[in-house]
Structures are given as C-alpha cells and as structure tokens.
Amino acid sequence: MAKLVLQSVLFQGKVQDILISGKKFAKVGRPLTARDREKADIVDCKGLAIVPAFYNGHTHAAMTLLRGYADDMPLMKWLTEYIWPFEAKLTAKDIEIGSRLAVLEMIKSGTVFFSDMYWQRETTMKVVKEMGIRATIGVTFAENLMTSQQVENNFKFLKDHRLESERVKLAVMPHSIYTVGEKMFKRCAKIAREEGYVLHTHLSETLKEVKDCKKQYGCTPVELLDKWGVLDDNLVAAHCVHLTQNDMSLMADAGSAAILNPCSNLKLGSGIPKIAQMMDSGMLLGVGTDGASSNNNLDMHEDMKLASLLAKAGGQADALPACEVLNMASAHVAMAYGIPAGVIGEGFLADALLLDLKNERLNPLHNLESNWVYAADSSAIHSVLCNGKFVMKNRHVDGEEDIVKEANACALKIAGRK
C-alpha cells in the first residue's frame, strides 16, 4: 500500500508530520515511527498548513460553457428563454469539455467533490475518473424535457448501477416539483430507497415556486414532499431559500439535508435563506456553488464566506462562526452524500488542501481558521489532495492550459449553432 508523509505541516497550531496510507489518513497528531516512514513518499510541507478540502453540494458542471452567456435576469426567464435553448444544442463532446473545465476550476479552488445535476452523465463520470477527484453524478429527471423512453432508460441505468466506482457514485435527481410530477417523483424516491441512492432536487428556490405550489397543492414545496412520502434521510435539497419554520422542522425531523447556494441565489434575485433559523432547527446544512452560469464561478470559498456573512446579517455577529461554516463547506456535505471525508483525522479519506502560509491574506497568523474563511481566497491554495494523491501540486494541474483552450473554442462553436 502506497504511503505518503506530509512532513512539517501546520495542523491545529502545531507543526507536525501526518501519515497517509493508501487513500486514508493513518496517523494524525501522533509521532511517526521509522516504520511509518519506510518506503513512504516524503513531502516537505514547511511553510504549509493543512485544512479540509471543499465538497460542492450542488452544481451543474458543464454549465461552465454558459458562463457569462445570460446574466442579470430572474430565474424562470433565464431558464426558459436562454439556458434551456442553449443546452438543447449541447452534444456529449461539449458536455465532456465543459465538465473538464469545471473540474479544473474546482480543483484549483480547493474542491475535491461535487454533486452534479446535468445530462450525459456517462461523459461527466469519465472526466471525474480521469481527473482524480470525487463526484456524485445525477441521473436527472425533468418531464418537460424528456421523452418516455428517456425516462425508462434513466431508471434502467439506476437499476444497473452503471459505471459507478470508488470515487464516482450515482444519485437520483428529479429536477424540481415544477418539472417532475407526483407519480414520477414517488418513483424516483422508491428506486433511491431500494438501491441506496441519494435523492437530490431543487427545493423552495424562489418565491414563485412556493406561491405556485400553494396555489396548486395548498401547501409549501417541503410540505408537498412530506405528503408525497419522499422527505427522508437520503434527501439532499438544493437552495431551500424560502422555508417556513414548519418546513425546517419537517426537514430536521426527517434527517433531510439542505445545500445553500448563496452566490447564485443573490445573483438571480431569488432571496436570502434563513440560515440562523435553519441551524437552530437542527437541519443538516451544506454549501454548494450552483452552476457557473448563475454564480458565475465554482469557487466554494466564496460561497462559504458569503453564507457566514448572510447568517450574521440579521444582527447576530456570532452566528455561523468560521469553524462552523468551514464544516458546512466540507464535512457536512460529505456526510449528506455518505462520504467518510471532510475531516483531517485518522480513518477518514485523505482529502485536503495545503495552504501557503506566505500568502499575504493569511498574515498575520493570529487565527488560521478565521484567516482562511474571512480573509483568504483560492490564491492561498498551494496543493490539493484527493484520495491520498495530489491532484494539484504547487498550483499546477496537469493539462490545464489545453483544457481552457479547448473550452473556449467549444463555447464559440455552440454559440454559432442554430
């Protein structure tokens, strides 16, 4: 089994050595022996600090190709008049190129896992495997955009657990209550339970969604999912901007997780989630970026910091402190998706970031955690580890120049298609 020693790395205020054996942290906070070091790859980490990597709880990876394509408009106009028509032009090759750009951007900003709701899942799974990070890739359902045969193909794909691997898993992803009706949503929930999948959806993202739901069903979207019997501990819901106190209680009692996407929600004018109240309710909260066409980047650090600031906006400066929001952007997302990671600790998967302590935004070093959350940005990331291997070392990802060049050429071609 391959061994890696991170030598003289700063962790929890102490310079120490950390042993990675295979894909897991084997010794953290304990002295290493000569045997631990035997046949190990020794990495000099002087001047570097180790912190948890980011886990992006909700995104649409290949939408990097739509970055800057349509901005400054409300969600439904943005979707129906610009995004969906552009997406209809995408080929499998386009999605591969867009996903590769997304994974590059995520690695360079410290993300080692993402949950992807999009199309052509086999293509994205291939990219993730090649680039060395983790993902939960959605088998996406949207009745208004799919034929009955495509729907049945999706369910068969899920039954077969096609193309899953150690780092890449599938999930059942009905898009939303306004694109998937009761019968199909229940069928999605059923196969998720039977096959052990996460059930992921957009939920209570806009006031319009909530008002339309109340008009049609006489209840909120969360209450609707509860009535349908799909509110469960395998549900991971994106956005959750407009939750009532009862919605929060229902989700907390069910063990359902909410993934906050503050940058996207603010940019689309969707609103501000009641973060402090959601935390008080006992809900499991994580962070995601949403897609690069509504954020407009995939930098989890930005969403992490913004989530903390929005929680404080109600007048509570001590709401969602640095240590808690860092957990929301790492361990909580990992927990929601069933990944034993997001913690620098023995037995956990060896995913981590090495921060450059010479970076101007990390100085003076009164409090590393606080500096990392509130002061720094991704420029402070020196290297990225996933599954015990470096996916970025000394700020470089293999092939990054070609990935960017190919994505630019692809986007121009798509824009010219009729």
Side-chain angles (χ1 to χ4, degrees):
M1 187 180 292
K3 293 192 295 184
L4 184 69
V5 172
L6 303 178
Q7 187 167 276
S8 303
V9 68
L10 182 67
F11 178 60
Q12 294 184 340
K14 279 176 38 180
V15 173
Q16 56 188 281
D17 299 340
I18 291 176
L19 175 66
I20 295 169
S21 182
K23 61 187 179 183
K24 294 183 178 180
F25 290 109
K27 273 194 176 181
V28 180
R30 295 188 289 147
L32 302 194
T33 65
R35 189 172 180 179
D36 291 331
R37 298 175 190 278
E38 188 179 337
K39 294 183 180 178
D41 184 9
I42 310 294
V43 180
D44 182 5
C45 294
K46 287 188 186 75
L48 303 177
I50 189 169
V51 296
F54 293 125
Y55 298 76
N56 188 342
H58 175 72
T59 192
H60 313 280
M63 291 182 83
T64 50
L65 295 176
L66 288 86
R67 193 194 323 264
Y69 176 71
D71 290 321
D72 306 319
M73 63 189 75
L75 176 67
M76 293 316 296
K77 178 179 181 179
W78 177 78
L79 277 175
T80 58
E81 296 182 26
Y82 293 88
I83 300 306
W84 286 342
F86 188 103
E87 288 178 327
K89 303 175 185 178
L90 297 179
T91 66
K93 184 62 178 176
D94 298 331
I95 289 173
E96 177 183 344
I97 292 168
S99 295
R100 204 174 295 281
L101 178 63
V103 173
L104 172 64
E105 181 182 350
M106 285 190 267
I107 290 173
K108 298 208 74 166
S109 53
T111 292
V112 299
F113 164 87
F114 66 101
S115 173
D116 190 50
M117 181 187 286
Y118 214 58
W119 311 106
Q120 302 284 355
R121 62 243 167 192
E122 299 98 323
T123 300
T124 307
M125 293 171 87
K126 170 179 171 283
V127 169
V128 175
K129 288 175 186 175
E130 289 173 358
M131 295 190 71
I133 67 168
R134 309 183 190 282
T136 292
I137 304 296
V139 177
T140 304
F141 293 84
E143 289 182 275
N144 60 327
L145 299 173
M146 299 171 70
T147 66
S148 58
Q149 187 57 56
Q150 287 173 323
V151 168
E152 294 310 315
N153 289 345
N154 272 5
F155 283 113
K156 186 176 187 312
F157 195 93
L158 287 163
K159 273 283 187 186
D160 294 342
H161 288 258
R162 290 274 305 281
L163 303 176
E164 285 192 302
S165 65
E166 178 194 5
R167 289 183 287 104
V168 185
K169 304 296 182 186
L170 293 172
V172 188
M173 298 196 183
H175 176 270
S176 61
I177 61 165
Y178 55 86
T179 58
V180 177
E182 178 179 0
K183 184 178 177 182
M184 187 177 292
F185 218 117
K186 286 181 174 179
R187 191 177 170 192
C188 286
K190 183 173 183 288
I191 196 169
R193 288 194 196 102
E194 289 174 350
E195 300 295 330
Y197 287 126
V198 164
L199 182 71
H200 184 52
T201 191
H202 298 94
L203 188 65
S204 295
E205 183 176 358
T206 64
L207 279 173
K208 183 180 188 311
E209 178 189 338
V210 175
K211 287 176 182 175
D212 288 350
C213 186
K214 285 181 176 178
K215 184 177 180 181
Q216 184 174 357
Y217 299 104
C219 61
T220 69
V222 175
E223 290 167 343
L224 182 65
L225 293 190
D226 187 46
K227 285 182 180 179
W228 287 353
V230 303
L231 207 61
D232 211 337
D233 62 3
N234 70 332
L235 177 70
V236 180
H239 300 295
C240 297
V241 178
H242 301 284
L243 299 189
T244 65
Q245 201 62 51
N246 186 53
D247 291 339
M248 296 176 203
S249 296
L250 286 171
M251 290 187 71
D253 290 346
S256 302
I259 302 297
L260 308 177
N261 303 263
C263 286
S264 175
N265 295 148
L266 288 177
K267 184 169 177 290
L268 288 170
S270 300
I272 300 172
K274 304 178 186 77
I275 300 173
Q277 295 95 312
M278 292 164 86
M279 291 176 66
D280 289 343
S281 75
M283 291 174 64
L284 177 63
L285 297 183
V287 178
T289 61
D290 209 2
S293 57
S294 63
N295 182 300
N296 283 2
N297 63 42
L298 304 177
D299 189 341
M300 279 286 291
H301 190 282
E302 286 190 5
D303 278 275
M304 171 181 69
K305 178 179 177 178
L306 187 55
S308 179
L309 299 185
L310 288 175
K312 301 174 194 303
Q316 295 174 266
D318 58 352
L320 197 50
C323 60
E324 290 185 25
V325 77
L326 185 55
N327 279 335
M328 277 175 53
S330 53
H332 287 193
V333 177
M335 190 185 308
Y337 285 93
I339 307 164
V343 176
I344 311 297
E346 293 179 12
F348 287 91
L349 291 167
D351 299 348
L353 309 181
L354 296 177
L355 304 183
D356 184 355
L357 293 172
K358 296 188 296 295
N359 186 278
E360 64 280 359
R361 294 192 177 201
L362 293 178
N363 289 280
L365 199 60
H366 296 301
N367 183 315
L368 175 62
E369 204 167 48
S370 186
N371 279 3
W372 175 226
V373 172
Y374 297 126
D377 61 14
S378 58
S379 69
I381 301 170
H382 178 279
S383 297
V384 180
L385 279 158
C386 182
N387 223 37
K389 295 180 179 178
F390 283 101
V391 290
M392 180 174 86
K393 204 165 186 180
N394 198 14
R395 299 181 179 83
H396 182 75
V397 177
D398 288 345
E400 61 180 86
E401 297 85 359
D402 291 337
I403 291 170
V404 173
K405 184 178 177 182
E406 189 175 27
N408 273 317
C410 178
L412 284 172
K413 279 184 189 173
I414 298 165
R417 284 179 199 153
K418 293 183 180 179

